Amino acid sequence: MSYAPPRLSDRREGSDGETSVVTKVRPQTKRPPLYKVMLLNDDYTPMEFVVHILERFFGLNHAAAFEIMLTVHKKGLAVVGVFSFELAETKVAQVMDFARRHQHPLQCTMEKE
């Protein structure tokens, strides 16, 4: 292992004439928590409407949207995606608003992953 002396810009001279090295401490950063966005099954919202929502608001292709819709239908709910808090909150609001405007009781929720 080779020794590399500190750069001159990192050296400080104390009052007693000795040179010391200044080190910078980087704060530990945490990744922000992620949130699961889920669709819940109901007996009234048409399957085609759910597929349309998945394609429009989550950018899924038809095949992927159809698979998730079937999961919602068979299991009662499905995770549609995992997002930051702000993005998850926006997706939930968009889906709920769109469903209400089309008079469907579709429920979309989010929870911390």
Side-chain angles (χ1 to χ4, degrees), residues 16-88:
D16 57 1
E18 289 190 18
T19 303
S20 63
V21 177
V22 176
T23 59
K24 293 181 182 179
V25 178
R26 290 187 180 181
Q28 289 285 12
T29 56
K30 292 169 82 176
R31 289 185 175 267
L34 296 176
Y35 291 80
K36 298 185 286 190
V37 174
M38 299 171 292
L39 286 181
L40 307 174
N41 189 39
D42 65 71
D43 295 330
Y44 304 101
T45 304
M47 292 178 176
E48 298 81 21
F49 185 78
V50 175
V51 170
H52 178 70
I53 289 238
L54 292 168
E55 291 171 343
R56 179 174 178 161
F57 296 107
F58 297 95
L60 299 175
N61 63 38
H62 187 76
F66 191 82
E67 283 298 315
I68 291 175
M69 177 276 299
L70 283 179
T71 302
V72 171
H73 181 69
K74 291 176 183 175
K75 295 188 176 181
L77 68 92
V79 174
V80 181
V82 179
F83 308 96
S84 67
F85 178 81
E86 292 80 10
L87 195 52

